[in-house]
């Protein structure tokens, strides 16, 4: 059972880095540091958008409109941190105590 929680923890860790990469790329787009017409940059941007946008969309429905500021990546990162904390400090010790 610990292997399952380890895989879940690592999947959350991977998604953490995907969200960070998506946020950094959006800043690079906003400040015209990268060329969105470049095929490689465009394909990376679309890939990251497809992985993050479904989660962001659900969070944006709940968050108030702040104009040009998008706080959904921050909310996702805090949610991932919370889930990882639960796994490490509550779920894994409970599994070990139960002997599973």
């Amino acid at each position: 059972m610990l292997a399952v929680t380890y895989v879940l923890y690592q999947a959350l860790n991977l998604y953490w880095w995907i969200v960070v990469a998506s946020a950094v790329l959006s800043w690079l787009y906003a400040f015209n540091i990268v060329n969105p017409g470049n095929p490689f940059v465009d394909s990376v941007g679309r890939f990251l958008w497809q992985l993050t946008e479904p989660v962001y969309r659900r969070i944006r429905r709940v968050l108030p409109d702040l104009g040009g500021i998008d706080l959904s990546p921050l909310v996702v990162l805090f949610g991932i941190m919370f889930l990882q904390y639960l796994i490490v400090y509550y779920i894994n010790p409970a599994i070990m105590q139960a002997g599973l």
Side-chain angles (χ1 to χ4, degrees):
M1 193 65 173
L2 283 175
V4 173
T5 60
Y6 179 75
V7 169
L8 179 61
Y9 184 88
Q10 292 303 323
L12 288 169
N13 196 26
L14 176 65
Y15 198 71
W16 167 279
W17 288 109
I18 289 171
V19 170
V20 168
S22 173
V24 169
L25 188 63
S26 72
W27 295 336
L28 294 175
Y29 277 152
F31 294 117
N32 281 333
I33 295 173
V34 296
N35 181 10
N38 184 336
F40 177 74
V41 173
D42 183 50
S43 65
V44 169
R46 276 189 284 134
F47 174 74
L48 292 173
W49 184 82
Q50 288 175 347
L51 289 176
T52 56
E53 188 59 29
V55 177
Y56 290 170
R57 193 176 311 122
R58 290 184 181 137
I59 293 171
R60 286 183 190 127
R61 287 183 201 153
V62 178
L63 289 177
D65 186 21
L66 298 174
I69 300 173
D70 184 16
L71 295 179
S72 55
L74 188 62
V75 172
V76 170
L77 292 178
F78 281 132
I80 290 172
M81 286 173 37
F82 177 74
L83 290 173
Q84 287 178 331
Y85 182 84
L86 282 178
I87 290 170
V88 170
Y89 292 106
Y90 290 103
I91 296 173
N92 281 350
I95 290 171
M96 292 178 68
Q97 187 177 11
L100 297 175

